């Protein structure tokens, strides 16, 4: 059902936790299945220097959260905004079709955290 990469990111998630003084925080959820993802960013000179996540959800939700943090770390804000849920799923070798709609909210959470950061910068 799940690829080896999905299972690896589920069993050994990367970048789990919170950043207390985060520059941006984004949270998204799917009321249908109950998955909730929260992403914390530390940005320096337009580059994502640190990124952490907390996810309440199924194995695929945890795996996509872990993968998106790996994909975004070290990228510029513009590069990170280009990451899509589809790209995250592809980086994991795919997700079962019934998991795509609820489990792969990871890029949405990343984009929400970037939006939060940008809103704070514009104040």
């Amino acid at each position: 059902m799940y690829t080896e990469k999905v299972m690896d990111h589920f069993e050994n998630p990367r970048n789990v936790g919170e950043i207390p003084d985060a520059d941006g925080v984004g949270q998204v959820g799917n009321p249908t299945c109950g998955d909730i993802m929260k992403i914390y960013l530390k940005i320096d000179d337009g580059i994502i220097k640190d990124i952490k996540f907390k996810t309440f959800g199924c194995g695929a939700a945890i795996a996509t959260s872990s993968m998106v943090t790996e994909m975004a770390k070290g990228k510029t804000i513009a590069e990170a905004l280009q990451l899509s849920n589809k790209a995250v799923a592809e980086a994991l070798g795919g997700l079962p079709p019934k998991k795509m709609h609820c489990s792969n909210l990871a890029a949405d959470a990343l984009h929400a955290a970037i939006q939060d950061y940008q809103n704070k910068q514009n104040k």
Side-chain angles (χ1 to χ4, degrees), residues 12-27:
N12 307 292
R14 285 71 153 170
N15 306 305
V16 176
E18 297 178 39
I19 300 175
D21 59 342
D23 296 318
V25 179
Q27 180 172 311

Side-chain angles (χ1 to χ4, degrees), residues 17 25-28 36-40 52-55 109:
V25 179
Q27 180 172 311
V28 297
I36 300 170
M37 298 177 181
K38 195 167 193 178
I39 290 194
Y40 303 82
K52 303 268 188 227
F53 80 92
K54 293 190 98 176
T55 292

Side-chain angles (χ1 to χ4, degrees), residues 102-117:
C102 65
S103 301
N104 198 6
L105 300 165
D108 297 340
L110 171 64
H111 297 160
I114 292 170
Q115 184 66 53
D116 181 54
Y117 166 75

Side-chain angles (χ1 to χ4, degrees), residues 46-119:
I47 299 191
I48 297 172
K49 295 292 184 181
D50 196 11
I51 181 169
K52 303 268 188 227
F53 80 92
K54 293 190 98 176
T55 292
F56 177 83
C58 66
I62 293 165
T64 57
S65 299
S66 174
M67 179 56 84
V68 83
T69 63
E70 290 286 283
M71 294 172 77
K73 193 179 252 184
K75 293 216 177 343
T76 66
I77 292 169
E79 290 169 333
L81 283 170
Q82 297 301 310
L83 293 175
S84 68
N85 286 326
K86 183 179 178 191
V88 174
E90 287 173 356
L92 287 167
L95 290 171
K98 66 181 181 180
K99 289 295 183 181
M100 285 297 288
H101 73 283
C102 65
S103 301
N104 198 6
L105 300 165
D108 297 340
L110 171 64
H111 297 160
I114 292 170
Q115 184 66 53
D116 181 54
Y117 166 75
Q118 289 173 329
N119 290 344

